[in-house]
Amino acid sequence: METNAVIETLLSHRSIRKFKNKALTEDQVRLLVKSAQAASTSSFTQSYSIIGIDDPGIKKQLRKIAYDSDYVEHNGYFFVFLADQYRNKVIGERYKKDTSVLDTAQRLIVAFGDASFAAQNLAVAAESMGLGICYIGSIQNDINKTAEILQLPQDVYPIFGLAVGYPDQDPEQKPRLPLDVIFHRNHYNAKPSADSLKTYDQKIAHYYQTRSGGTREETWTGQIAGGLELPYRKALKPFLEKQQLGLR
C-alpha cells in the first residue's frame, strides 16, 4: 500500500531516552506549540495549557519526581501538558455565569482529550523535524509536588510531560499488538486470538532479550499481569478533589 511522508513519520516512531546536549531554538518551540494548537478540540473549548520548561533547576526537580530519569533533565526542551479548566472558569465568572459545569467528570474527560490531542500533534511535528520525543507520565508520581513546582492554580491538572530533543540513540522499534487483537470490526470481540497473543509474546520476549543483551526475559502478557501488582498513585484522586476537577 502506498504511504506518504506523514504516515512514514508515524510508523517510524520510537521513544527516545537519550538526547544530545543541544537546546531547541525559540522558533522551533513556537512552531511545535502552534502545531499542538492545530489539533482538534471538543466544542472549541481548548481546555488545556502547555508549560514550556527550559529552566535547568525546574527540570532537575521534575526529574527527581519522574523516577530520576536522566532524559527529563537533559533534553532539548521539556513540555508539560495540562488539563485546564481555570482559564474557562475565569471567563465564565467574568460573564457572571454559573461555572459549576466545569467541575463535572464530562468536562474533565474533555480537557484530558484536548490536551492529549495537542500533545500528539506536537509529538508528530517534532518527529517530522528530525527530533525525538518521550512521554513522561511519571510527573504524576508526586502530583502535589509537581503542581507546586509548576505553580498550578485550582482547576488545573498536570497529565504528562513530553521530552523533546535531538536523539543521541537509535533504539530498535518496539513491536505493537497484532491488528486482529487491537482492531475490532463493528462490535467488540471479547475473545482475542490466543495464537496472536502467543506469537506477539514471542516477539516481545525477543525484543527485550536483544535490547538488554539477554538479561531481561519478559513477555507482553507477563508484563501486563505483573503491572497489576504495582502500587498505584493514591494521591491522584485527592488531588482531583482539591483541584475541583471531575467531582460531579
Side-chain angles (χ1 to χ4, degrees):
M1 181 179 295
E2 184 177 349
T3 64
N4 56 44
V6 175
I7 292 174
E8 290 298 329
T9 296
L10 291 167
L11 294 179
S12 62
H13 164 73
R14 61 211 67 201
S15 294
I16 299 299
R17 294 179 173 84
K18 186 178 181 183
F19 297 95
K20 295 179 181 178
N21 184 22
K22 182 177 180 181
L24 269 60
T25 66
E26 187 62 25
D27 284 344
Q28 286 175 311
V29 171
R30 288 182 176 275
L31 182 57
L32 289 172
V33 173
K34 281 188 174 183
S35 298
Q37 287 188 273
S40 298
T41 166
S42 178
S43 300
F44 203 45
T45 60
Q46 303 179 78
S47 303
Y48 70 95
S49 287
I50 306 168
I51 297 180
I53 299 174
D54 54 12
D55 184 316
I58 295 177
K59 284 185 178 182
K60 191 169 186 176
Q61 290 181 76
L62 292 175
R63 169 183 177 165
K64 291 178 181 178
I65 294 170
Y67 298 121
D68 196 30
S69 300
D70 179 75
Y71 43 92
V72 173
E73 181 179 0
H74 300 117
N75 48 61
Y77 204 83
F78 195 76
F79 299 89
V80 177
F81 285 80
L82 314 167
D84 185 357
Q85 300 291 25
Y86 175 78
R87 179 172 54 245
N88 290 349
K89 185 168 284 190
V90 168
I91 292 170
E93 291 169 349
R94 186 182 304 160
Y95 278 81
K96 296 181 169 51
K97 299 291 186 180
D98 178 3
T99 62
S100 60
V101 68
L102 297 175
D103 302 331
T104 61
Q106 184 258 333
R107 286 300 186 98
L108 177 62
I109 292 169
V110 163
F112 271 63
D114 276 6
S116 298
F117 303 152
Q120 190 61 11
N121 255 36
L122 192 152
V124 174
E127 291 182 332
S128 76
M129 294 161 62
L131 301 170
I133 67 101
C134 188
Y135 279 96
I136 311 293
S138 51
I139 63 167
Q140 294 189 29
N141 283 349
D142 188 344
I143 196 162
N144 288 288
K145 184 64 176 178
T146 294
E148 178 187 329
I149 293 168
L150 302 178
Q151 299 180 20
L152 302 184
Q154 198 173 57
D155 304 300
V156 178
Y157 185 96
I159 306 175
F160 43 68
L162 189 63
V164 180
Y166 292 88
D168 197 23
Q169 61 175 185
D170 186 20
E172 182 183 352
Q173 192 171 37
K174 188 179 290 185
R176 285 342 195 215
L177 280 166
L179 190 67
D180 65 338
V181 175
I182 203 78
F183 180 63
H184 306 253
R185 195 179 298 276
N186 296 320
H187 58 82
Y188 191 90
N189 178 13
K191 295 181 180 180
S193 169
D195 288 341
S196 290
L197 283 176
K198 182 178 180 180
T199 300
Y200 183 62
D201 270 345
Q202 292 170 345
K203 286 184 178 180
I204 291 299
H206 176 74
Y207 168 84
Y208 283 135
Q209 287 174 354
T210 302
R211 185 174 179 178
S212 67
T215 61
R216 181 176 179 181
E217 295 185 8
E218 189 174 23
T219 63
W220 183 77
T221 56
Q223 180 178 339
I224 296 301
L228 300 177
E229 299 174 345
L230 296 175
Y232 63 93
R233 295 164 181 155
K234 295 181 180 180
L236 300 191
K237 185 178 179 181
F239 181 81
L240 284 169
E241 294 170 347
K242 183 179 74 171
Q243 296 298 87
Q244 296 290 310
L245 290 165
L247 297 183
R248 294 191 291 168

